[in-house]
């Protein structure tokens, strides 16, 4: 797949900087099977646009407040730590106490290079300290702190040990002191509303540093309407990583170094997929992350089925990919020249996607994480 085919021009004012007034009020572009036929509805209409009895699969990852802002304990210089993934739970002997601690892989920004042994006192309502323990090169001093957003790729990772001098649990301290990791194209600081709105209502497995954005539109009442139409809900977990913002820089997607993301398809979801297949019901994925989890766990022996599995996936889906599991997809609008735009183009066909995006821009739909959504059916 050539990168230059995955492009479109988006007026900057269509990038949603804030969520819609309520989750269900977002607009929904329904891309029908009939070529060129598009319908303009809202998320409230979604239950009526899905087939009765469908199996709806959601990603229950929970976004971490991964941005930690603080100061060097010695000089007071400003530092930003961006947590990427937890490596281990551990303990730290300090001043005669054995404190609970966690080791993370992280990125850092500061006015001067960060060095091993540096301790950073994190700003916030609780005591939290980050100590630099190992480096992977390239961190510190690359960018000014003001207005800093998550970097686009996992460059310059280092080890950091987090602990609370008061002996608090690290997850509680991070939850209290951390900031919501808004995407780089949302050019504002996070606020109190983002704590709730940049999280799905069914999030329960902590580990993501970006939200599975299609799921941000769902509410408990909307899910109840799924049930009223005989639908079933199943969960997968895929912890969205920084690589989701990594731009495609090669001319051919075959050469793109796809990022790894941890995922899990539990036995009960594999059973739910098998049950739906036996009964002739469709599989609806809420978001591209649910698609990647399901397709990564596709049963090689039985078309349309999945096996219970967990691990890491580097699955790159682009036009030409043969989908084995998912029949319909709810998804937001994606960045040009991105792997996510390649995925939806593989799912519904590149010409149909590009035409749908053209219409969405003409009709002033809101784009990206806090934007509107589209409902797609897999091209046959």
């Amino acid at each position: 797949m050539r990168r230059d085919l995955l492009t479109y021009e988006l007026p900057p004012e269509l990038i949603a900087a804030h969520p819609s007034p309520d989750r269900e009020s977002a607009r929904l572009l329904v891309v029908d099977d009939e070529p060129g036929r598009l319908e303009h509805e809202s998320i409230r209409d979604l239950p009526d646009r899905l087939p009765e009895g469908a199996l709806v699969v959601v990603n229950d990852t929970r976004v971490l407040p991964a941005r930690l802002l603080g100061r060097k304990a010695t000089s007071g210089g400003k530092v930003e730590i961006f947590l990427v993934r937890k490596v281990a739970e551990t303990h730290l002997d300090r001043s005669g106490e054995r404190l609970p601690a966690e080791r993370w892989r992280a990125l850092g920004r500061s006015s001067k290079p960060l060095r091993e042994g540096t301790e950073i006192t994190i700003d916030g309502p609780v005591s939290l300290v980050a100590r630099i323990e190992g480096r992977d090169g390239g961190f510190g001093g690359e960018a000014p702190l003001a207005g800093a957003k998550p970097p686009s790729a996992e460059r310059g990772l280092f080890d950091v040990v987090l602990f609370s001098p008061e002996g608090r649990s690290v997850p509680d301290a991070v939850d209290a002191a951390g900031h919501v990791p808004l995407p780089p194209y949302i050019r504002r600081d996070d606020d109190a509303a983002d704590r709730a709105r940049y999280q799905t209502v069914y999030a329960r497995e902590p580990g993501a540093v970006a939200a599975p954005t299609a799921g941000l539109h769902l509410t408990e009442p909307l899910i109840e309407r799924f049930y009223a139409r005989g639908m079933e809900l199943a969960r997968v977990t895929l912890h969205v990583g920084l690589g989701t913002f990594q731009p495609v820089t090669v001319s051919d997607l075959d050469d793109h170094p796809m990022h790894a993301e941890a995922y899990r398809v539990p036995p009960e979801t594999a059973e739910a997929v098998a049950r739906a297949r036996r009964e002739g019901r469709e599989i609806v994925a809420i978001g591209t992350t649910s698609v990647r989890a399901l397709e990564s766990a596709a049963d090689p022996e039985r078309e349309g089925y999945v096996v219970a599995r967990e691990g890491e996936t580097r699955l790159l889906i682009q036009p030409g990919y043969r989908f084995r599991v998912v029949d319909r997809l709810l998804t937001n609008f994606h960045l040009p020249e991105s792997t996510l735009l390649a995925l939806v183009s593989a799912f519904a066909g590149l010409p149909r996607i590009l035409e749908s995006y053209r219409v969405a821009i003409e009709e002033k739909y809101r784009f990206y994480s806090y934007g509107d959504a589209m409902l797609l059916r897999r091209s046959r």
Side-chain angles (χ1 to χ4, degrees):
M1 180 69 192
R2 282 171 35 202
R3 181 190 66 184
D4 61 359
L5 296 178
L6 297 167
T7 190
Y8 63 92
E9 295 294 328
L10 181 69
E13 62 270 19
L14 296 186
I15 299 174
H18 296 272
S20 55
D22 62 81
R23 294 176 190 264
E24 292 187 25
S25 67
R27 297 170 73 186
L28 177 65
L29 181 64
V30 180
V31 183
D32 201 272
D33 290 339
E34 182 181 327
R37 182 180 174 186
L38 303 172
E39 297 180 63
H40 304 283
E41 300 192 359
S42 80
I43 290 294
R44 291 190 179 92
D45 302 309
L46 179 62
D48 299 322
R49 297 311 306 250
L50 297 180
E52 290 188 14
L55 175 64
V56 179
V57 182
V58 301
N59 180 8
D60 66 2
T61 187
R62 187 168 187 83
V63 180
L64 300 166
R67 289 184 68 219
L68 303 178
L69 306 180
R71 296 179 180 272
K72 294 179 183 178
T74 52
S75 67
K78 291 184 178 180
V79 179
E80 175 180 346
I81 300 293
F82 192 93
L83 303 177
V84 175
R85 59 180 178 272
K86 187 168 73 172
V87 176
E89 295 182 2
T90 183
H91 285 84
L92 190 70
D93 293 320
R94 186 180 177 86
S95 303
E97 291 187 82
R98 188 167 171 79
L99 301 174
E102 291 183 354
R103 181 181 296 273
W104 284 74
R105 296 288 276 169
L107 288 146
R109 299 178 190 268
S110 65
S111 56
K112 294 182 180 180
L114 296 170
R115 303 186 187 282
E116 288 192 44
T118 300
E119 289 196 353
I120 298 109
T121 301
I122 304 301
D123 301 334
V126 301
S127 66
L128 180 63
V129 173
R131 188 171 75 188
I132 309 300
E133 292 242 328
R135 58 185 298 164
D136 192 22
F139 66 88
E142 314 95 312
L145 199 64
K149 295 294 179 184
S152 61
E154 295 188 8
R155 297 187 303 271
L157 288 174
F158 60 92
D159 281 354
V160 60
V161 172
L162 300 174
F163 64 94
S164 169
E166 297 176 356
R168 294 175 180 267
S169 79
V170 174
D172 288 349
V174 169
D175 188 64
H179 290 258
V180 177
L182 294 178
Y185 43 76
I186 296 181
R187 300 184 181 277
R188 64 173 176 85
D189 291 331
D190 63 309
D191 57 32
D194 294 312
R195 280 269 173 163
R197 293 301 302 275
Y198 197 63
Q199 199 81 264
T200 64
V201 299
Y202 42 76
R204 68 181 185 187
E205 299 292 338
V209 297
T213 55
L216 299 180
H217 301 297
L218 271 58
T219 64
E220 294 294 349
L222 195 74
I223 292 171
E224 288 299 322
R225 290 176 57 204
F226 289 163
Y227 295 142
R229 286 178 51 80
M231 299 180 204
E232 187 178 359
L233 197 74
R235 296 171 181 256
V236 295
T237 303
L238 186 141
H239 293 316
V240 191
L242 279 179
T244 194
F245 301 119
Q246 184 177 352
V248 176
T249 57
V250 294
S251 59
D252 188 329
L253 261 71
D254 284 348
D255 299 323
H256 176 70
M258 191 63 178
H259 58 282
E261 291 173 319
Y263 80 103
R264 178 173 182 262
V265 176
E268 56 268 28
T269 295
E271 292 166 6
V273 170
R275 192 163 53 247
R277 285 293 175 230
R278 290 195 299 268
E279 297 170 1
R281 296 183 283 121
E282 291 193 15
I283 311 297
V284 178
I286 303 299
T288 57
T289 59
S290 297
V291 173
R292 289 187 69 227
L294 289 169
E295 294 292 327
S296 296
D299 189 333
E301 304 298 328
R302 296 186 299 170
E303 182 78 20
Y305 291 73
V306 298
V307 294
R309 181 178 294 167
E310 63 180 303
E312 283 192 340
T313 179
R314 292 182 180 270
L315 179 63
L316 171 59
I317 297 177
Q318 58 179 308
Y321 176 85
R322 184 171 65 89
F323 288 87
R324 299 179 60 87
V325 183
V326 180
D327 300 304
R328 297 185 194 236
L329 168 62
L330 177 75
T331 184
N332 282 20
F333 295 92
H334 303 293
L335 277 76
E337 299 188 354
S338 66
T339 58
L340 297 181
L341 185 57
L343 186 154
V344 297
S345 297
F347 192 82
L350 179 60
R352 185 155 51 159
I353 288 295
L354 292 180
E355 172 62 13
S356 300
Y357 273 51
R358 185 193 66 78
V359 171
I361 292 169
E362 188 177 90
E363 296 293 327
K364 300 190 183 310
Y365 275 68
R366 288 154 44 90
F367 274 59
Y368 305 159
S369 295
Y370 272 150
D372 298 315
M374 60 195 312
L375 180 63
L376 305 173
R377 184 167 184 172
R378 186 177 72 191
S379 60
R380 303 297 178 181

